[in-house]
Amino acid sequence: MDTYKQPFQYDYGVFLILDLLRAIDFIRLNKSIRHDKIAILGRGLGANLATFAAAFRPESVKVLSLERIAPVWFESFIKYSNSQLAKEYQKIIQLKKNKKQNTYHFLNEPLYIVDKINIPVLMSVGLEDPEHPAYPAFGFFNLLNCDKSIQIFTDEKQDPDQKKERETSLNFIIEYLK
């Protein structure tokens, strides 16, 4: 709870984004790795971070596969998700309200940088996924202005182990990196 009392520049999500950017820079500095054709497959919070990597390292990241992106469109994510992450964000918001701060924002909101994504994107959503709600993901998908595709699972029984979802993601990445 001490972390939540800090200003937003100390936001954990921001540190995650910086770690990911440092990882891409590490790959770029390694001469034995092809750094100009990176694909990122992210799920949940990893998908959130992948969008920032694509926005801030366009010279390296060439394709994204976003499985069950979350958190995105924070107001809706917090409202519809029953994940532990959503509960933690609800605590942060409550602390801000207790301090008489009516507005809140999160610096790792992918909607802020959606216009910077100019590479092929595959998204997958589950309409009945209680942790990664589809509604906010659709909002993000609709704002993407690039080559984009989406796979929708109407119920979790379609792909209970997420094997089809992952296979589709990998095939999408392979096709674009050829």
Side-chain angles (χ1 to χ4, degrees):
M1 294 302 289
D2 289 340
T3 303
Y4 300 151
K5 296 173 189 169
Q6 298 296 322
F8 274 116
Q9 62 263 33
Y10 300 109
D11 186 293
Y12 178 66
V14 173
F15 288 122
L16 291 174
I17 293 166
L18 293 175
D19 284 346
L20 181 61
L21 296 178
R22 280 191 288 264
I24 292 172
D25 288 341
F26 175 79
I27 291 170
R28 196 183 83 242
L29 295 172
N30 189 328
K31 301 298 181 205
S32 64
I33 299 175
R34 182 116 189 242
H35 66 85
D36 61 335
K37 281 192 158 193
I38 295 175
I40 300 179
L41 189 159
R43 183 174 183 87
L45 179 58
N48 172 311
L49 299 175
T51 61
F52 284 90
F56 296 131
R57 295 294 184 268
E59 67 282 357
S60 296
V61 180
K62 300 302 179 190
V63 62
L64 288 178
S65 181
L66 309 174
E67 296 178 353
R68 317 287 176 115
I69 187 170
V72 63
W73 189 4
F74 276 86
E75 292 85 359
S76 293
F77 170 74
I78 292 167
K79 181 178 178 181
Y80 295 113
S81 177
N82 65 8
S83 69
Q84 185 60 40
L85 187 59
K87 292 173 187 170
E88 294 297 323
Y89 280 122
Q90 289 168 356
K91 289 178 188 176
I92 294 170
I93 292 168
Q94 193 58 46
L95 283 171
K96 295 283 181 198
K97 285 181 180 178
N98 290 344
K99 291 182 176 182
K100 306 286 191 247
Q101 295 175 335
N102 293 332
T103 61
Y104 64 92
H105 66 281
F106 294 96
L107 298 177
N108 62 328
E109 168 63 83
L111 293 181
Y112 294 150
I113 49 94
V114 70
D115 61 327
K116 296 183 185 320
I117 308 297
N118 297 313
I119 58 175
V121 175
L122 171 67
M123 279 186 60
S124 61
V125 296
L127 296 182
E128 295 180 349
D129 187 338
E131 293 185 6
H132 312 101
Y135 184 69
F138 283 130
F140 178 79
F141 182 79
N142 289 334
L143 292 174
L144 284 170
N145 193 16
C146 59
D147 182 7
K148 60 185 178 180
S149 302
I150 193 165
Q151 58 178 340
I152 300 170
F153 296 91
T154 54
D155 66 54
E156 295 304 305
K157 295 174 191 163
Q158 283 181 290
D159 190 23
D161 299 325
Q162 290 87 35
K163 288 181 182 178
K164 180 181 176 189
E165 184 176 10
R166 182 57 50 94
E167 186 176 305
T168 303
S169 293
L170 292 173
N171 288 334
F172 176 80
I173 287 171
I174 290 167
E175 187 62 36
Y176 275 95
L177 288 183
K178 280 185 180 178

